[in-house]
Amino acid sequence: MPQKEKRMFIDMVGRLSWETQLHLDERHHHFHINKIIIIAISIILMILAAVNVYYVAVLYQDLNGIVDNMDSMHSNMQQVSRRMMHITDNVKEFEIYMRRMDNIVESTGTMAAMMPSIASSVGQMDEDVATMDADMDKMAAGMRHIDQRFKHMTQGVTVMRHHVREISRPMGAMNPFMP
């Protein structure tokens, strides 16, 4: 019986050794697969990081372009606003000239008494001058309204420019890392 027990012990140790080796081989195989997967994922992540850096650089350039366009738009709006103020001033002067037309209307009334043949034409001129005066008042009010709108637009562009600069400022911090 001791021979049989030795044989069983040797068979058991052999099977245990064989099972252990099989387990070690399978474990080595799985570690190798995990290593390949980790390397593949690392390469994909590096590619994605490079693409993200590229997109951040493009976004930074686009935001700089937007800020430059906002600056240009702001200066153009200020120029348009100055021109509108000039037009408004001219319309006001025109209105003053139209008010002086009243004296001309009175003078033409006396002329109508002297020249009955042109009295009806002078009356029509009086109505036209009054209509022109009313129209000029409306135009002056319209120009003031347009001037006010351009001021609001200029202020809006100023606010937009400020916000775009605030958005692009964090992108400027990434400049040293960009290609």
Side-chain angles (χ1 to χ4, degrees):
M1 183 93 139
Q3 197 63 333
K4 188 177 180 184
E5 287 176 2
K6 282 183 187 178
R7 186 75 185 141
M8 281 177 56
F9 180 73
I10 290 173
D11 285 343
M12 182 184 74
V13 169
R15 263 186 282 144
L16 184 60
S17 173
W18 182 77
E19 290 287 332
T20 303
Q21 187 61 43
L22 183 66
H23 177 73
L24 286 174
D25 290 344
E26 189 175 325
R27 190 170 152 220
H28 177 71
H29 176 69
H30 286 293
F31 281 154
H32 183 69
I33 291 173
N34 284 346
K35 185 178 178 182
I36 290 171
I37 289 172
I38 288 171
I39 289 172
I41 289 173
S42 296
I43 290 171
I44 290 171
L45 287 175
M46 281 192 254
I47 291 170
L48 286 175
V51 169
N52 281 341
V53 167
Y54 171 73
Y55 281 138
V56 166
V58 169
L59 179 63
Y60 176 74
Q61 290 173 350
D62 289 346
L63 286 175
N64 275 342
I66 289 171
V67 168
D68 291 342
N69 286 341
M70 290 290 177
D71 288 339
S72 172
M73 198 156 112
H74 180 260
S75 63
N76 288 341
M77 284 295 186
Q78 286 179 336
Q79 186 177 11
V80 168
S81 179
R82 283 192 300 271
R83 288 180 180 169
M84 290 307 291
M85 289 184 73
H86 181 69
I87 290 171
T88 303
D89 292 341
N90 288 343
V91 168
K92 286 179 183 176
E93 287 179 27
F94 207 43
E95 182 181 351
I96 292 169
Y97 294 140
M98 292 306 293
R99 287 189 183 137
R100 291 182 187 158
M101 294 289 277
D102 292 339
N103 295 335
I104 294 172
V105 171
E106 291 171 11
S107 299
T108 54
T110 56
M111 283 175 61
M114 289 185 225
M115 300 183 209
S117 62
I118 60 170
S120 63
S121 298
V122 171
Q124 184 63 38
M125 280 177 58
D126 189 30
E127 290 175 13
D128 290 344
V129 167
T131 304
M132 284 173 58
D133 190 28
D135 290 345
M136 285 301 164
D137 286 340
K138 289 177 185 175
M139 276 181 62
M143 287 301 169
R144 282 191 295 275
H145 184 69
I146 290 171
D147 186 45
Q148 183 181 19
R149 290 286 174 111
F150 270 99
K151 284 180 184 174
H152 290 299
M153 286 171 58
T154 302
Q155 290 170 353
V157 168
T158 302
V159 170
M160 285 171 49
R161 181 180 64 182
H162 172 73
H163 289 302
V164 169
R165 280 199 175 133
E166 289 297 318
I167 290 170
S168 69
R169 188 169 289 136
M171 301 313 257
M174 293 194 62
N175 261 348
F177 304 105
M178 293 186 195

